[in-house]
Amino acid sequence: MSTNNDSDQARRQNAAQAWSNLLKQPLSLGHAAMEYARDAWQRTLLYADVRRQRGNQYREHLQERVPNVLSFPAEAVMSGLDLPRPVNYGLVRIAPSADAPTDESKRPFIVVDPRAGHGPGIGGFKPDSEIGAALGAGHPCYFVGFLPDPVAGQTVEDVMRAEAAFVRKVAELHPQAIGKPCVIGNCQAGWQVLMTAAVWPELFGPIILAGAPLSYWGGDNPMRYAGGLTGGSWLTALTSDLGAGRFDGAWLVQNFENLDPANTLWSKQYNLYANVDTEGPRYLGFEKYWGGHVFLNDVEIQYIVDNLFIGNKLATAELSTSDGVRIDLRNITSPIVVFCSYGDNITPPGQALGWITDLYRDDADVAGHDQTIVFATHDSIGHLGIFVSGSVGRKEHREFATNIDIIDLLPAGIYRAEVDERSAAEVAADPTDPYLMRIRRSGVEEVRAIVKPDPAAERRFAAAARVSEINLALYRNTLAPWVRALSTPASARWLQALHPLRIGYEWWSDRSPTAGLVAAQAQQVRDQRRPVAPDNPFLQAQEALSRTIEQLLDQYRDQRDAMYARVFDTIYGSPLVQALAGRSSDDNAPARPHPGDSPEHRAFLAAEHARRDADIAQGGLGEVVIRALGFIFEARGEADERYFRHAWDLLRPHLGSGASGRQALAAFRALTRRQSALLRYNGEAAIAAIPAMLAGTSPDLIRKAAAAIADMAGRADKPSAQEQARLRHVQDLFEQGATATDPKPAPRRLRPS
């Protein structure tokens, strides 16, 4: 903050000095004014021409059969239109580049783009993107996109079934790949992918969620108040009815625009005007995505708003499919990687991570469900930056793709991933990868410190959800029949065409009478362009004015958002509304039932504990080695990717020579997860059982395994005193197992360096 203040002060001082010098020389002031006037006029013409190109681009994009903004060539693999329950989604394979060929033995990646008002392609918008990171790591890569118009009658569940079919198809195309497909869900696609994985968990490998909201009452963004301040989802139903059964995604985009008025009303346009000589291509590329509005069926958007945005039922396992299957995120057996940012004003960390504290009370609860969750946070990147920023693509997404097999091997629990720069020596040895991913043990309490659950706020949101149900019922029984009777496809098209966002794109293009004149004048300006000097005082005054406008609009936004929160809290925190919503007056009463309180959940945990008691002394040398390594490295609480690679290289040859890569990884993953679960359940008994588990194993093989464990303990960082003590204890137990069969004296034990 002080650096920004210092730079602002320096700019003001420089501008003041420049004006002082010019006022002493009136002729110089007049010359500077003329230079600035010519430059401003030239920039105005160039700005108008770029905006003309924007209108042309918008119209051309709408005429495309499958409009998207992918920057990678792709080949169609499967169409959702051909499924028993057709949907407007499709699966394509991304063609690898010549300098980054695909290794067909590697795990395939599937990138699913959000259908939240915009068209598809944001996950592959730039070369340094999620798709680019997966291709760069040699993985086969697929993309799930969609058409602008939904199939009549398609539902969220239909889309879930289609996504399951796509994942199944990719797995069939790569039978020899190591591991099941890794699926990346961006924003809206994130929660939909998790819903699919909760119903068909056997299909999925690791799941990466990028900027995906899952706990809609959490976080600190103003959008979470919108449903309550408008009286609930009746307005969504009205909009769909006016659209003749279709919801216009432009309204969702309008909500995003309203979040940051400084950028929407000023900064985006000013940045183009001020840097029009270089900013045009980047501006047009982004506007192609931002203006690609799509539609949702009325049943789709109503389900989303009622059950997710307002009802917040996904994070507490309150949703079920049409055939009665509960959509419980605790059913997911694949690792879930959550990537979020404190600079994201659409999906802040509280919404991205809040589902963890909604579902789990403590770490034992997480381990009891054998679930692995890895989260990573960014300090400042915005919502779209999570998907399109080149720096994020080259760093976080690249490390996720490079280390996805390592993430798949993590035992149950919550972890935090951090991407650091490698040392100069390591970069010199391998200049292709300047970053190192470290994964350390975290827990529910660390997540809770980020999410900051607020029971009082939850009671207010629960009241808003109940009021929404009441208002929606009133609308459907009073106004809805009239609105539907008066709405036709023709009237819906007129309302869509008159949407403010569409008018903003369509009013200025080559169809406008003066477009040809502006284009010709702009070309003359490009041929004779003379930018003003950067130290021109009038240019500096222009920049100062722009900063002032941005600050005023930011102040307006902050005051508006604070007012939204106060009004919402006042209305839905009042005893009258709480009583109307059927909420308890007890401040300690939970706003909704905790999923861990259900009889089914208690029965599940009891059965799981009984099974683990029976498994404590089961297994042979392979189980013992994994158990011993887990016991030793549990003391560290952190490991980087090097440790996991060493462990995989060491143990893979012992998983069966006849096993394929996928079978070997699956066997290794099952082995490590089971032994880690036993250690966390009853570590003392699990370690004490080692000698008995080694009965019948060759003493030489036991001692070789002990030596390998000592070698592993010294591979990454130097072992701590606690790790060395645990290593000695393990080796004593191994020796007990060896001497029980062969009383010959043991050779000198190896110690880690």
Side-chain angles (χ1 to χ4, degrees), residues 703-704 706-708 710 731 735 744-752:
R703 288 166 179 147
K704 286 181 180 178
Q731 290 189 315
E735 189 56 33
K744 291 188 299 184
R748 182 173 61 88
R749 291 190 301 223
L750 296 178
R751 300 296 186 195

Side-chain angles (χ1 to χ4, degrees), residues 621-680:
L621 184 62
E623 285 79 4
V624 168
V625 169
I626 294 295
R627 188 178 295 186
L629 284 170
F631 174 68
I632 293 167
F633 282 98
E634 186 181 43
R636 179 170 298 180
E638 174 183 293
D640 60 48
E641 61 194 69
R642 297 169 296 182
Y643 160 69
F644 294 98
R645 295 194 188 284
H646 292 325
W648 173 244
D649 293 340
L650 174 68
L651 297 171
R652 182 176 181 181
H654 303 286
L655 296 173
S657 58
S660 68
R662 178 178 295 184
Q663 292 169 334
L665 185 65
F668 184 48
R669 182 173 186 269
L671 193 62
T672 55
R673 293 178 70 81
R674 172 54 55 189
Q675 296 310 309
S676 174
L678 292 174
L679 281 171
R680 300 194 70 182

Side-chain angles (χ1 to χ4, degrees), residues 268-289:
K268 185 164 62 173
Q269 284 69 239
Y270 174 76
N271 188 49
L272 172 63
Y273 172 74
N275 305 282
V276 71
D277 296 302
T278 57
E279 186 66 11
R282 191 207 65 83
Y283 176 85
L284 290 173
F286 177 78
E287 288 296 297
K288 184 178 181 180
Y289 167 74

Side-chain angles (χ1 to χ4, degrees), residues 399 420-424 426-427 430 433-436 641-642:
E399 289 302 302
D420 303 321
E421 293 186 0
R422 291 179 182 267
S423 66
E426 289 177 317
V427 173
D430 182 13
D433 187 3
Y435 302 108
L436 178 70
E641 61 194 69
R642 297 169 296 182

Side-chain angles (χ1 to χ4, degrees), residues 36 39-40 43-44 46-47 266-280 529 531-532 539 542-543 546 550:
Y36 174 79
D39 176 72
R43 280 188 284 131
T44 299
L46 295 176
Y47 172 85
W266 180 259
S267 302
K268 185 164 62 173
Q269 284 69 239
Y270 174 76
N271 188 49
L272 172 63
Y273 172 74
N275 305 282
V276 71
D277 296 302
T278 57
E279 186 66 11
R529 180 77 172 109
V532 70
L539 181 63
Q542 168 196 299
E543 294 174 349
S546 174
E550 288 179 354

Side-chain angles (χ1 to χ4, degrees), residues 217 310 457-467 578 581 583 591-592:
W217 295 354
I310 295 179
E458 289 215 347
R459 286 193 293 274
R460 292 191 288 270
F461 281 107
R466 179 59 183 148
V467 169
Q578 289 279 315
R583 307 307 307 169
R592 48 189 171 159

Side-chain angles (χ1 to χ4, degrees), residues 58 115-119 148 239 246-258 289-296 301 495-505:
Y58 172 78
R115 183 163 156 250
H118 301 103
T239 305
R246 292 197 313 170
F247 183 88
D248 188 355
W251 290 110
L252 296 176
V253 179
Q254 183 75 65
N255 289 337
F256 300 146
E257 293 269 23
N258 293 339
Y289 167 74
W290 198 249
H293 308 129
V294 299
F295 296 87
L296 293 90
I301 190 64
L495 288 175
Q496 292 156 13
L498 294 174
H499 192 283
L501 289 187
R502 286 194 174 85
I503 291 176
Y505 282 91

